[in-house]
Amino acid sequence: MFLTVPTLLTWARIVAIPLIVGVFYLPFEDATRNLAATVMFVVFALTDWLDGYLARKLNQSSAFGAFLDPVADKFLVCASLIVLVHLGRVHALIALVIIGREIAISSLREWMAQIGAARSVAVHMLGKVKTTVQMVAIPFLLFDGRLFNLIDTHWWGTLLILLATVLTIWSMVYYLQKALPEIRAKAR
């Protein structure tokens, strides 16, 4: 199941990372670079929905795909946040909180799976809302201009990334609370 259509879409998200980062090193105007990075991010972020849909529709779900999909998402988000910090559009502390939470919760899930308690840290709606807010904030911040001469994407992106940070902390606390009984039981 390494080369199914859904898995290839997931791999495409991973391949997209250097493209999104690299566009900011091309000799184009800022607005052109911003637009290119935004379009690429949105297209590759949409493959997250598409690969899941196709995996179910084509009956091509696999354990490898289930592993690779969140890894690709985290790589895409983390790389984009690092670019945004470099560009001065996101504060480093915000990126640190979001990236740190991803590492902590991924590690927690791995450990909980090893002790047979993966269900206690299964994906929750709060985590999905956090991801959705991030996936809207990041392209707004990559664009960093006025969309349709109406929407100040920098202002909205900043507001949404702050909301995503609050949701990031909240969801981390939620998952840690869910895991705490198992952690206490194994610590004895």
Side-chain angles (χ1 to χ4, degrees):
M1 290 290 194
F2 287 104
L3 295 177
T4 63
V5 172
T7 305
L8 288 172
L9 286 171
T10 303
W11 280 114
R13 277 202 309 286
I14 294 171
V15 170
I17 294 165
L19 298 176
I20 291 171
V21 173
V23 79
F24 287 100
Y25 294 95
L26 295 175
F28 299 129
E29 293 181 9
D30 286 346
T32 303
R33 287 193 296 247
N34 291 347
L35 179 60
T38 303
V39 168
M40 283 190 284
F41 183 90
V42 169
V43 166
F44 287 111
L46 287 174
T47 66
D48 183 31
W49 170 83
L50 184 59
D51 66 26
Y53 172 78
L54 289 175
R56 289 183 297 277
K57 184 83 169 166
L58 302 173
N59 197 25
Q60 293 183 342
S61 297
S62 69
F64 180 72
F67 155 76
L68 191 63
D69 185 66
V71 170
D73 296 342
K74 287 168 185 26
F75 275 155
L76 184 62
V77 167
C78 292
S80 297
L81 284 171
I82 291 168
V83 166
L84 291 168
V85 168
H86 177 72
L87 295 170
R89 299 177 192 172
V90 169
H91 194 279
L93 184 59
I94 288 172
L96 181 63
V97 167
I98 293 171
I99 294 169
R101 180 261 188 212
E102 296 304 334
I103 293 167
I105 297 304
S106 293
S107 299
L108 177 67
R109 284 193 173 122
E110 182 180 336
W111 185 66
M112 296 300 280
Q114 286 178 358
I115 65 170
R119 283 189 177 172
S120 63
V121 288
V123 176
H124 183 266
M125 183 56 77
L126 184 57
K128 291 180 180 187
V129 170
K130 180 257 326 163
T131 299
T132 301
V133 173
Q134 280 178 357
M135 296 305 238
V136 174
I138 290 171
F140 274 20
L141 290 165
L142 287 170
F143 188 78
D144 195 47
R146 294 195 73 75
L147 188 60
F148 309 119
N149 272 339
L150 297 172
I151 302 167
D152 181 349
T153 64
H154 181 80
W155 188 87
W156 281 104
T158 301
L159 180 69
L160 289 170
I161 205 69
L162 290 170
L163 176 59
T165 304
V166 170
L167 291 169
T168 294
I169 294 166
W170 185 7
S171 67
M172 184 170 68
V173 168
Y174 172 83
Y175 289 123
L176 289 171
Q177 285 178 332
K178 287 297 213 178
L180 198 56
E182 292 293 337
I183 293 170
R184 284 186 179 145
K186 294 297 179 187
R188 294 179 186 162

